[in-house]
Amino acid sequence: ISSGLATLFIALKSHLFSYRLRSTISTKFYFFFLLISLKMKAGVMSSAALFSRSGNALLAQKVQRTTSNIVAKGPFNRSLSLRTSNYFGNMSANRSSPALRSTFQPLFASIGTTAPNLVTREEVFVDNPFNNVTDNIFEKMGQNHHQNPDHPLGIIKKVIFDYFDESHNDGQFMKFDDLKPIVSTTMNFDEVLVPSDHVSRDPNDTYYVDEHTVLRCHTSAHQASLLREGNAKFLVTGDVYRRDTIDATHYPAFHQMEGVRVFEQSEWEAAGCTGAELAEKELKRALEGLSQHLFGDVEMRWVDAYFPFTEPSFELEIFFKGEWLEVLGCGVMQQAILDDSGNAGKKAWAFGLGLERLAMILFDIQDIRLFWTKDERFTSQFQAGCFKQGGTGMKFKSFSKFPPCLKDVSFWVSDKFSENNLCELVRGVGGDLVESCVLIDEFENKKVGKTSNCYRITYRSNERSLTNEEIDGLQDTVRSAMEADLEVELR
């Protein structure tokens, strides 16, 4: 049924949304297609309340009478629902009357944010020599802290959403925060112009499911596909994964937000400038406004940067709490990305930011592991709607810090050794009990042609005291795994 509806809808959409025929379409015909999108909103707001709130009493009555007969019929195909909502969103933003736009806009702004992001073990752990995903990483998938309105990351996401809703009167940004984190290497690298020899493609830096599939390294992985679907203004939020070092500010799973805004030729002609000039001007205006929305009246500066998917590229820094801090990266989208996604002759800006980084700065959270804790001493300090500009009055109150347990390990390095490989191994054994893994000594024995490293592993729980016996057991497992997996020679 869903496939049939999708075929029918695509065949009719060009007529359904044409300016000439719009006035002749019956309320029932609109309603038939709207129910496909409204299905995704069941349990969030009643469809009747939606139309009633928008002042459309007739549609509210129709929805009230028929929703109970349709919503209970079983789930619609999600991709059809999302595609339908996107077409309605484009109609609302670009072609509909102000009255129709005001009726549908509350729905368009939130479609695509409620479907569960489910990943199964079968999808992640495949029998392939490229697969380097660990159980420790799989356990993080599907937690979706950015979708929890009472979590610091969900709070920051909502504040950013509110800014774009309130500050851009040229049409609402579509919002996606439920896109699966398993993507093709084409999406993750090729479509955003990451060079074939770029370090990020190395399994030392990226989690591979197989040679053609990865856990996304950035939310930019969805940029080209969303552009191909016709989205011209959108925000994408999600969990991303990178093999990394272990310290208070780095974690192999974290959350990003991507923003994109596409401009038509008529817009830069009306502004009396080139498309690239308009995109850069509007980009800086939007992101300076976002920084003030988050941090208050702060000094800002733009720093030239390099990203393969934008040119020119910039980083925005703010002066906050006595120091310059990088907030986000951004730029004017490379024309090749637009051309290859069906947007030839257009210009666009794009930005990306880390939710953990913003939350740590604004809420004064010192340990990135805390975003994954279920300890009520942490979670109870944050509630939806609690944010105040600059984080005023919302500083995280640290609870008692338990003592660390330090363990050093010295070894002759091998061809299989890298710091990321070691950190991944240590995380796989100790999980979030590992606070840091730091190189404290290195020397080269030229006589034997070997290099020796000494790493200090700090074990510390945010929730309880650790015993020496417990940590000795973990450290013995680490040492054995280093010999077996990294082929190092312990000293």
Side-chain angles (χ1 to χ4, degrees):
I1 294 174
S2 294
S3 299
L5 285 174
T7 302
L8 175 63
F9 180 76
I10 293 171
L12 293 176
K13 72 160 182 94
S14 61
H15 300 291
L16 176 61
F17 300 125
S18 74
Y19 182 84
R20 293 189 303 275
L21 297 179
R22 188 176 64 240
S23 61
T24 66
I25 298 172
S26 71
T27 300
K28 290 182 180 179
F29 199 48
Y30 269 122
F31 177 63
F32 171 75
F33 286 101
L34 275 172
L35 279 174
I36 299 173
S37 296
L38 285 170
K39 175 62 181 172
M40 298 301 298
K41 297 302 294 176
V44 179
M45 70 168 72
S46 76
S47 47
L50 168 68
F51 292 118
S52 179
R53 190 177 67 184
S54 302
N56 194 323
L58 177 61
L59 272 177
Q61 293 171 5
K62 289 179 178 288
V63 173
Q64 186 68 48
R65 286 197 301 267
T66 59
T67 296
S68 61
N69 294 327
I70 297 178
V71 168
K73 298 295 184 182
F76 284 92
N77 176 277
R78 181 192 175 277
S79 62
L80 171 60
S81 301
L82 186 57
R83 189 182 303 277
T84 305
S85 70
N86 287 345
Y87 283 135
F88 273 101
N90 292 335
M91 173 198 69
S92 174
N94 302 323
R95 303 181 200 127
S96 65
S97 68
L100 188 61
R101 184 163 59 246
S102 66
T103 298
F104 296 144
Q105 202 167 53
L107 173 64
F108 304 147
S110 55
I111 285 289
T113 63
T114 60
N117 179 359
L118 301 178
V119 177
T120 65
R121 289 188 67 87
E122 290 72 22
E123 291 178 279
V124 175
F125 295 109
V126 301
D127 184 14
N128 188 287
F130 273 79
N131 191 290
N132 63 350
V133 184
T134 64
D135 283 307
N136 182 57
I137 293 301
F138 178 73
E139 291 169 0
K140 305 294 185 290
M141 302 177 74
Q143 295 197 33
N144 298 327
H145 295 310
H146 62 289
Q147 294 180 348
N148 180 353
D150 295 320
H151 192 278
L153 303 182
I155 292 169
I156 296 296
K157 182 195 78 170
K158 177 65 164 57
V159 172
I160 297 173
F161 279 5
D162 288 345
Y163 165 76
F164 280 98
D165 285 346
E166 296 166 2
S167 302
H168 289 74
N169 57 6
D170 57 351
Q172 292 245 3
F173 277 69
M174 295 292 292
K175 305 175 185 68
F176 303 88
D177 73 353
D178 65 342
L179 303 178
K180 273 194 172 183
I182 301 176
V183 301
S184 68
T185 53
T186 299
M187 294 171 65
N188 199 71
F189 299 122
D190 300 330
E191 291 185 335
V192 286
L193 309 182
V194 175
S196 59
D197 59 349
H198 196 274
V199 64
S200 64
R201 290 180 181 257
D202 195 302
N204 187 59
D205 285 33
T206 295
Y207 292 103
Y208 277 80
V209 175
D210 58 42
E211 60 267 43
H212 304 299
T213 313
V214 297
L215 305 187
R216 64 185 170 210
C217 302
H218 46 192
T219 47
S220 302
H222 303 285
Q223 189 180 101
S225 59
L226 290 174
L227 285 169
R228 280 194 296 271
E229 291 179 5
N231 296 288
K233 306 181 186 75
F234 57 87
L235 302 170
V236 181
T237 315
D239 46 334
V240 299
Y241 299 86
R242 297 179 190 173
R243 301 175 94 238
D244 211 339
T245 55
I246 305 176
D247 59 36
T249 60
H250 292 87
Y251 203 77
F254 55 104
H255 299 76
Q256 283 190 339
M257 181 182 293
E258 169 98 357
V260 170
R261 162 72 158 96
V262 179
F263 297 88
E264 303 279 350
Q265 181 175 347
S266 59
E267 294 180 89
W268 64 76
E269 288 178 347
C273 59
T274 67
E277 289 170 340
L278 178 63
E280 180 178 339
K281 175 184 176 182
E282 289 301 304
L283 168 71
K284 291 182 175 180
R285 179 184 69 85
L287 297 183
E288 287 174 358
L290 174 60
S291 295
Q292 292 174 335
H293 185 73
L294 290 169
F295 295 97
D297 188 14
V298 293
E299 186 179 354
M300 291 174 276
R301 68 185 183 190
W302 291 96
V303 179
D304 291 338
Y306 165 77
F307 306 111
F309 26 81
T310 54
E311 176 59 38
S313 302
F314 311 99
E315 290 176 347
L316 177 59
E317 296 182 352
I318 63 168
F319 194 72
F320 190 68
K321 296 181 180 178
E323 61 179 329
W324 285 101
L325 301 172
E326 177 193 338
V327 176
L328 51 82
C330 61
V332 177
M333 189 179 295
Q334 290 277 16
Q335 191 61 43
I337 298 176
L338 289 165
D339 293 347
D340 293 343
S341 61
N343 290 274
K346 301 178 184 179
K347 291 292 182 181
W349 57 244
F351 74 83
L353 56 81
L355 293 181
E356 278 88 350
R357 178 167 179 77
L358 294 179
M360 292 181 81
I361 295 171
L362 288 164
F363 297 139
D364 202 19
I365 298 171
Q366 301 299 317
D367 190 336
I368 197 170
R369 293 177 299 165
L370 285 168
F371 292 111
W372 298 87
T373 186
K374 294 180 173 61
D375 192 318
E376 291 186 357
R377 290 173 297 177
F378 178 81
T379 59
S380 64
Q381 295 191 39
F382 303 94
Q383 296 84 35
C386 71
F387 178 83
K388 295 181 181 178
Q389 192 177 63
T392 305
M394 260 310 301
K395 302 304 179 187
F396 167 62
K397 298 177 180 62
S398 180
F399 37 87
S400 298
K401 198 166 190 179
F402 295 98
C405 186
L406 309 179
K407 296 292 179 181
D408 294 348
V409 57
S410 298
F411 54 91
W412 299 108
V413 303
S414 68
D415 291 339
K416 287 190 175 182
F417 170 80
S418 71
E419 183 167 278
N420 279 358
N421 283 341
L422 174 62
C423 290
E424 194 66 23
L425 185 152
V426 172
R427 276 198 182 100
V429 174
D432 283 354
L433 296 182
V434 184
E435 181 176 80
S436 64
C437 181
V438 180
L439 178 66
I440 60 172
D441 185 55
E442 180 178 22
F443 77 90
E444 182 181 356
N445 187 328
K446 295 184 178 179
K447 290 184 178 180
V448 297
K450 291 182 177 181
T451 299
S452 174
N453 283 180
C454 181
Y455 276 80
R456 174 162 294 164
I457 304 173
T458 301
Y459 297 89
R460 189 201 316 254
S461 171
N462 283 313
E463 301 169 5
R464 61 184 177 87
S465 292
L466 304 175
T467 65
N468 282 327
E469 293 76 14
E470 177 183 11
I471 299 307
D472 284 343
L474 293 177
Q475 188 68 6
D476 286 344
T477 303
V478 167
R479 291 172 64 87
S480 297
M482 289 174 64
E483 289 183 305
D485 298 343
L486 303 183
E487 298 180 0
V488 302
E489 181 183 346
L490 296 176
R491 300 183 61 213

